[in-house]
Amino acid sequence: MQVILIRHADAVDETLGLRDPHRHLSERGRAQAKALGDRLCWHDCAPTAVWASPLARALQTAELVLGRFETDRVIEVVPALVPGEHPRALVTAIRAMAATDVLIVVGHEPGISGLGGLLVGEPEFPALAKAEAARIVDGKLRWRFAHDAEAPSADR
């Protein structure tokens, strides 16, 4: 089983009129998400399932990444990916998936790296940068890939 963890791309700042859950991607963030989606396509990371936090910036990132694949997959909104929620509950659902599944999970820090730490058994899993992906295969971190990187990085 493969899990691709993604931290959402760059978003606009919170204001009095635009509260955190509704912060959308900036122009830069939209470009970052598309670029990351392209890179994931190049490395055969076509998802069988996509989960995203219900916050606007994560959903938009998931949509733009998924849009780079030729697929009709639907994004599943997962409330447990909201900042402040503990990712422990997601581990059981992930481990119950088929060995051939490729799951893309789009979320926020520190929860997304917390989920990575639980999946690989390393509590000190390094935080993901905005619009960065980490590929975990059978419980092992294989690589990390930033939206603007030429190639994946085996370690950070």
Side-chain angles (χ1 to χ4, degrees), residues 95-110:
R95 290 190 174 145
M97 297 179 85
T100 56
D101 281 341
V102 178
L103 171 65
I104 289 180
V105 181
V106 183
H108 314 268
E109 281 299 340

Side-chain angles (χ1 to χ4, degrees), residues 8-124:
H8 67 81
D10 186 67
V12 299
D13 292 333
E14 182 176 13
T15 66
L16 289 175
L18 184 68
R19 304 310 302 172
D20 185 60
H22 306 290
R23 290 176 44 223
H24 54 83
L25 293 182
S26 65
E27 188 67 35
R28 178 174 176 241
R30 287 190 291 277
Q32 289 173 339
K34 289 176 188 176
L36 183 59
D38 288 340
R39 282 158 176 75
L40 294 175
C41 281
W42 299 338
H43 288 276
D44 297 325
C45 297
T48 56
V50 181
W51 296 354
S53 157
L55 277 60
R57 59 193 179 273
L59 275 171
Q60 289 176 333
T61 299
E63 289 168 351
L64 291 168
V65 166
L66 188 59
R68 308 316 265 189
F69 292 91
E70 292 183 21
T71 182
D72 58 355
R73 299 275 175 229
V74 175
I75 297 166
E76 182 179 343
V77 174
V78 179
L81 288 166
V82 169
E85 293 294 318
H86 196 284
R88 194 173 304 132
L90 299 173
V91 174
T92 302
I94 291 170
R95 290 190 174 145
M97 297 179 85
T100 56
D101 281 341
V102 178
L103 171 65
I104 289 180
V105 181
V106 183
H108 314 268
E109 281 299 340
I112 200 75
S113 59
L115 178 57
L118 290 170
L119 291 173
V120 301
E122 292 180 21
E124 299 301 318

